[in-house]
Amino acid sequence: MNWKKIAATLSFALILPTITFAHGELWYDAKSYLPKFKKIAIYPIKWMDSEFLFNTDGESEIYQANDYFDKRFVRKLKIKTIPLGVPSKENEKIREDKSKYQALYANFSSEQDRAKKVTEITGSDGYAMSHIYMDRLEPHTSPAKTVQVQLKSWTEETDSPNGDRTYDVKTWTETHTIPAANLMLYHFGVDYNIYDRDGKKVMTYRNEEHTYPDDFGGISGIFDSSKNLSPEKYRVALFKSLVNEYRKDFEEIKKNFEDNKKKIRTSKTIGFKGINLPNNVGNDEYSLKSVYFTMKNLPFKLTTAKIDYYGTGSARYFVQGTINRYSLDRHWVEPHVTLSTNFVEEVESTDWYDSNGNKHTKKVTKYKNGIVDHHGYWDYVATVAGTFQLVDSSGRILLTHSATETDDKTADAYRHLLENFYRKVNNLT
């Protein structure tokens, strides 16, 4: 496939900065052996409504994306893979009989039929699929805006016989126009599914980015920041960034699995009741599974209680909740300015000696404010509001935690809400 061509041109360089790790919407079947999977078949990427995407050209976007997804499993998760989307020379050894893999690309009537064929041909524990469900550009204009700016100049004297001081401070107001700018907002989303040998879905994961380039807080750097990226390569970088977050969440699953086996737990047991959900969560597979998974998974990490994950009836305490809002919203940030401190000149630099004979250098320096333009932009904020309670077996409420949390992603905002709740639970139980 040729990834969708972009008609608009960018009027600025695309450079990628660094951000902190964020979470996607994650669920996995805790009864499955997913944390112990040693070998996975990696299917080629699907883009929107397309079939699997192949390209043998190592410089192509498709090849780079397929290759990167595969290597995150091999190099970071230490999982052996059958990289069905990367038919390159380095994989010749595991592709000695290439013809037998062709059967894996057929249109199967069910995942059970696909899984049977995958197991027969590869002997893997399961198979992973990635799907780009959102890929679009939003060109727009930040309009020119005229503002009144109060500026200042001053002189600083440091390390003088009389100490440090600031003087000759002058202020004035300037009329300043922030110029218009043509901007490009990227919207990119990927979901991932892993199936076991029986074709049963054992993991779902969804994540997305709504981002500008460097000037507006773009995604984590994949390429050298000195490179000006074309829109096509920026798309690959977006894909890689989301794969990195997926890999880290997957890695956390494996780590928590091992940590939970070692953790000494009290005799008190926590079970779970339902969550009242807004329609946008209850009617969406990825959000729904993620919300319940996070509610049940975090207490393993944040409490020392035993967890009745499957409702066996042994619990003394129960968690129940209501989510009133679970949304990713955007608002327009108007063009604005900030002030910089600009060096003007060094007026004087003289040496002097104190009473102990120590040498000092007195410096007199002039400074002046500069104006830094910031174009208007769309800012995305995830908001999750809700209430969670710990109740006993009779329904008596022992603890209530209500909060509204925000972050750049809904999964993170929701985690903040539950993390604070479970810390209180741990102190109580």
Side-chain angles (χ1 to χ4, degrees):
M1 177 207 87
N2 292 325
W3 289 42
K4 211 172 186 181
K5 290 188 177 180
I6 299 164
T9 31
L10 300 181
S11 59
F12 45 81
L14 300 178
I15 304 172
L16 304 175
T18 301
I19 61 170
T20 56
F21 167 52
H23 295 86
E25 292 182 305
L26 166 70
W27 165 86
Y28 89 92
D29 183 354
K31 289 183 178 179
S32 72
Y33 292 98
L34 180 65
K36 293 184 175 181
F37 276 18
K38 301 297 183 184
K39 183 179 180 182
I40 295 179
I42 305 293
Y43 267 87
I45 297 163
K46 283 190 172 184
W47 180 81
M48 309 299 272
D49 297 324
S50 73
E51 298 300 320
F52 297 117
L53 306 182
F54 301 91
N55 196 317
T56 57
D57 179 3
E59 299 300 315
S60 69
E61 299 168 62
I62 296 170
Y63 183 93
Q64 290 180 47
N66 279 324
D67 184 54
Y68 195 82
F69 185 48
D70 171 64
K71 286 178 178 176
R72 294 310 90 183
F73 280 88
V74 176
R75 296 179 181 176
K76 297 295 183 178
L77 297 175
K78 309 302 180 185
I79 296 175
K80 184 178 180 181
T81 65
I82 304 296
L84 301 176
V86 192
S88 66
K89 291 181 180 179
E90 63 189 77
N91 295 312
E92 288 291 337
K93 290 183 179 180
I94 66 170
R95 289 175 156 299
E96 291 173 354
D97 184 6
K98 294 181 182 179
S99 61
K100 70 179 181 180
Y101 290 103
Q102 295 302 314
L104 299 180
Y105 307 121
N107 292 321
F108 293 95
S109 60
S110 67
E111 290 303 329
Q112 289 72 29
D113 290 340
R114 186 194 306 275
K116 183 178 179 181
K117 184 61 68 174
V118 170
T119 303
E120 174 190 324
I121 293 177
T122 70
S124 61
D125 298 304
Y127 55 97
M129 292 187 172
S130 59
H131 168 235
I132 298 169
Y133 64 86
M134 183 195 318
D135 178 14
R136 64 185 177 89
L137 299 175
E138 182 182 345
H140 63 95
T141 300
S142 171
K145 184 175 182 179
T146 300
V147 295
Q148 300 297 310
V149 186
Q150 187 175 54
L151 300 173
K152 181 174 73 170
S153 66
W154 67 96
T155 301
E156 291 183 4
E157 183 177 290
T158 60
D159 206 14
S160 74
N162 298 315
D164 299 342
R165 68 184 182 121
T166 299
Y167 60 95
D168 194 25
V169 178
K170 298 176 182 177
T171 60
W172 67 98
T173 300
E174 284 188 11
T175 299
H176 174 79
T177 298
I178 305 164
N182 295 320
L183 306 179
M184 188 68 75
L185 177 59
Y186 287 71
H187 305 276
F188 198 82
V190 187
D191 59 55
Y192 311 88
N193 293 288
I194 293 182
Y195 300 83
D196 66 12
R197 288 187 168 193
D198 298 319
K200 180 183 177 183
K201 191 181 290 186
V202 293
M203 182 180 186
T204 61
Y205 187 85
R206 183 174 65 188
N207 206 350
E208 59 188 48
E209 288 282 359
H210 306 270
T211 181
Y212 290 93
D214 180 54
D215 291 343
F216 302 92
I219 63 166
S220 55
I222 302 299
F223 299 98
D224 188 297
S225 61
S226 65
K227 293 183 180 179
N228 295 338
L229 302 182
S230 67
E232 290 78 10
K233 287 191 177 295
Y234 196 81
R235 181 191 283 111
V236 175
L238 283 167
F239 178 81
K240 290 182 176 182
S241 176
L242 293 179
V243 167
N244 286 343
E245 292 182 9
Y246 174 54
R247 187 269 300 174
K248 289 176 183 177
D249 275 332
F250 197 115
E251 197 169 47
E252 189 174 307
I253 285 177
K254 297 182 70 173
K255 181 179 184 301
N256 289 344
F257 179 79
E258 296 300 325
D259 291 346
N260 290 338
K261 292 192 297 184
K262 303 173 185 177
K263 198 167 189 177
I264 299 175
R265 299 192 175 275
T266 65
S267 59
K268 296 176 181 178
T269 304
I270 294 176
F272 304 93
K273 294 184 180 293
I275 307 176
N276 297 315
L277 299 169
N279 289 336
N280 68 308
V281 176
N283 295 327
D284 178 79
E285 177 190 5
Y286 290 92
S287 296
L288 179 63
K289 286 182 174 180
S290 176
V291 161
Y292 274 96
F293 172 78
T294 304
M295 178 182 72
K296 292 184 175 184
N297 191 59
L298 278 180
F300 279 110
K301 180 179 180 180
L302 298 175
T303 77
T304 57
K306 293 180 181 178
I307 308 301
D308 184 16
Y309 198 98
Y310 302 107
T312 62
S314 61
R316 177 179 174 184
Y317 304 104
F318 296 88
V319 172
Q320 62 186 23
T322 296
I323 297 177
N324 304 112
R325 181 178 177 185
Y326 188 95
S327 64
L328 180 66
D329 309 294
R330 75 176 190 174
H331 67 276
W332 177 252
V333 177
E334 288 290 330
H336 59 282
V337 300
T338 55
L339 300 181
S340 63
T341 298
N342 296 342
F343 169 82
V344 178
E345 63 175 330
E346 187 175 280
V347 180
E348 181 183 356
S349 178
T350 56
D351 295 334
W352 62 279
Y353 295 86
D354 62 23
S355 58
N356 295 320
N358 297 316
K359 181 180 178 180
H360 299 266
T361 301
K362 168 187 169 182
K363 288 187 178 181
V364 179
T365 310
K366 288 187 176 182
Y367 296 94
K368 178 182 179 181
N369 282 149
I371 299 175
V372 180
D373 291 331
H374 298 274
H375 301 300
Y377 63 96
W378 289 107
D379 184 38
Y380 281 76
V381 178
T383 303
V384 175
T387 299
F388 279 82
Q389 295 175 324
L390 183 72
V391 301
D392 63 17
S393 55
S394 67
R396 182 168 59 101
I397 298 174
L398 306 176
L399 185 154
T400 298
H401 175 73
S402 297
T404 298
E405 300 286 353
T406 60
D407 207 297
D408 63 335
K409 299 193 178 183
T410 48
D412 282 318
Y414 179 59
R415 283 175 70 100
H416 298 328
L417 175 62
L418 279 180
E419 284 170 348
N420 291 329
F421 167 68
Y422 280 121
R423 288 189 182 99
K424 291 181 179 179
V425 169
N426 193 51
N427 291 335
L428 181 66
T429 59

